[in-house]
Amino acid sequence: MRILGIDPGLTRCGVGVVDAEGRAVRLVAVDVLRSAADEPLEQRLHRIASGVEAAIVEHRPDAVALERVFAQHNVRSVMGVAQISGLVLRAAAANGIAVELHTPSEVKAAVTGYGQADKRQVGAMVQRILALESVPKPADAADALAIAICHAWSARSAAPTAALTPAQRAWQAAERASRR
Amino acid sequence: MRILGIDPGLTRCGVGVVDAEGRAVRLVAVDVLRSAADEPLEQRLHRIASGVEAAIVEHRPDAVALERVFAQHNVRSVMGVAQISGLVLRAAAANGIAVELHTPSEVKAAVTGYGQADKRQVGAMVQRILALESVPKPADAADALAIAICHAWSARSAAPTAALTPAQRAWQAAERASRR
């Protein structure tokens, strides 16, 4: 299954695409969408949303995974992150793609085994899991991939697929293809 | 100038359209978009955003006015409101329409003369200003119209137009039409 992971943000929005088959995950693409702080807010939202929608069209993911935002953090930046999240959730719904939110600690625990891991540890594990030559930079790129990996490995996505027989898996793939 | 006022919300989103010429404002349309609390979040966002976009296509406003959200309020509902706001801001940008945020107290002060006015007072003044037979219901409908009226009367929109000569106004209208 192909997963589009999004680390939502107004200044930098991480976009990571992985293909997953059971526990095996492979990098498809990674990008960071940016908008300038001096642009009007509506133009920034439009720019980032258009980039996410372009990634959906280009990579046709089976699922979108998004970091869940918490309003207790920095209030100013949370508003922008919430707005970008809304645009990503809507883009997934408009394209008929399942979308799931994962908490930051869930993502960290999935890739490092430790829910309080720092950015460096997350980047290092993303590099190792995807067998990359270097750590994806900036951190938003590594985070988006970590979110996609977390989703691939979560009970809600990969587990049922991994438990299927080859025949069941072929049927599931055909059924998914027919929905496109 | 035609103004689309939005009272952003996930359960109920007020949509009000007024035509303004100086201080004179006229009701064009009012509606409340709804989504059910038991629908998945992404479907709710998609439903409301599609309704706002349909209103933009139907009414072709010159400006979109939106209530500014504050994160200090109820954290749970603020996330939904922020997400809807992001979708409205983006829809305006995608359609090349100017969009402006107004604070709740700015809106209340504009229509009632008092920044701490309650919903009843806002509804009564919206009814009077637009010469309606009854107060628009529910409150989200009246609030959306109040936001549109506030925008019409704010220095950023109506004032420059009101100060123009008839020739300048004709030029401005032609210039606006050419941008569509």
Side-chain angles (χ1 to χ4, degrees):
Chain A
M1 96 181 289
R2 177 161 291 182
I3 300 157
L4 171 63
I6 303 279
D7 183 25
L10 196 52
T11 303
R12 287 184 307 280
C13 180
V15 174
V17 185
V18 304
D19 276 343
E21 176 113 31
R23 293 283 295 182
V25 282
R26 186 181 70 81
L27 174 71
V28 175
V30 63
D31 193 13
V32 175
L33 307 170
R34 294 162 196 272
S35 78
D38 59 358
E39 269 185 300
L41 174 61
E42 61 273 20
Q43 296 298 339
R44 303 181 71 184
L45 294 168
H46 183 36
R47 185 181 306 280
I48 303 278
S50 300
V52 170
E53 288 163 1
I56 288 176
V57 168
E58 184 181 349
H59 300 293
R60 302 199 141 276
D62 300 295
V64 174
L66 185 61
E67 192 159 287
R68 187 185 291 278
V69 197
F70 291 98
Q72 13 325 25
H73 299 159
N74 181 319
V75 165
R76 238 192 117 69
S77 79
V78 152
M79 294 301 291
V81 173
Q83 291 172 328
I84 296 291
S85 297
L87 287 158
V88 173
L89 287 162
R90 194 269 173 122
N95 284 280
I97 301 169
V99 56
E100 196 86 52
L101 297 160
H102 297 279
T103 64
S105 59
E106 208 183 323
V107 174
K108 289 171 183 171
V111 299
T112 72
Y114 174 52
Q116 307 295 313
D118 62 23
K119 291 216 170 283
R120 203 184 43 77
Q121 292 171 291
V122 170
M125 281 308 296
V126 166
Q127 180 190 3
R128 191 178 307 177
I129 293 164
L130 296 174
L132 307 176
E133 292 194 351
S134 60
V135 176
K137 292 268 161 65
D140 317 77
D143 285 347
L145 291 169
I147 292 159
I149 294 166
C150 168
H151 187 76
W153 290 354
S154 72
R156 286 163 282 188
S157 55
T161 309
L164 298 178
T165 64
Q168 287 171 324
R169 221 171 304 164
W171 180 84
Q172 189 184 66
E175 197 236 16
R176 270 200 195 114
S178 74
R179 269 184 280 143
R180 287 190 180 160
Chain B
M1 102 181 284
R2 176 161 292 182
I3 301 157
L4 172 63
I6 304 280
D7 182 26
L10 195 52
T11 303
R12 287 183 309 278
C13 180
V15 175
V17 185
V18 303
D19 277 343
E21 177 111 32
R23 293 283 294 183
V25 283
R26 187 181 70 79
L27 174 71
V28 174
V30 63
D31 194 12
V32 174
L33 307 170
R34 295 163 194 271
S35 79
D38 59 357
E39 269 185 301
L41 174 62
E42 61 274 19
Q43 296 298 337
R44 303 182 71 184
L45 295 167
H46 183 35
R47 186 182 303 281
I48 303 280
S50 299
V52 170
E53 289 164 0
I56 288 176
V57 167
E58 183 180 350
H59 299 294
R60 300 199 143 277
D62 301 294
V64 174
L66 185 61
E67 191 160 286
R68 187 185 290 278
V69 197
F70 290 99
Q72 8 332 19
H73 299 160
N74 181 319
V75 164
R76 238 193 120 65
S77 79
V78 152
M79 295 300 291
V81 173
Q83 290 172 327
I84 296 291
S85 297
L87 287 158
V88 173
L89 287 161
R90 193 271 171 119
N95 284 279
I97 301 169
V99 56
E100 196 86 53
L101 297 161
H102 297 279
T103 65
S105 58
E106 208 183 320
V107 173
K108 289 172 185 171
V111 299
T112 72
Y114 174 53
Q116 305 296 314
D118 62 21
K119 290 215 171 285
R120 205 184 41 79
Q121 291 171 291
V122 170
M125 283 307 297
V126 164
Q127 179 189 2
R128 190 177 308 177
I129 293 164
L130 295 174
L132 306 177
E133 292 195 350
S134 60
V135 176
K137 292 269 163 61
D140 318 78
D143 285 348
L145 291 170
I147 292 158
I149 295 166
C150 168
H151 187 76
W153 291 352
S154 72
R156 285 164 281 188
S157 55
T161 309
L164 298 179
T165 64
Q168 287 172 324
R169 218 170 306 164
W171 181 84
Q172 190 185 65
E175 198 236 16
R176 270 199 196 118
S178 74
R179 270 185 278 143
R180 286 187 179 161

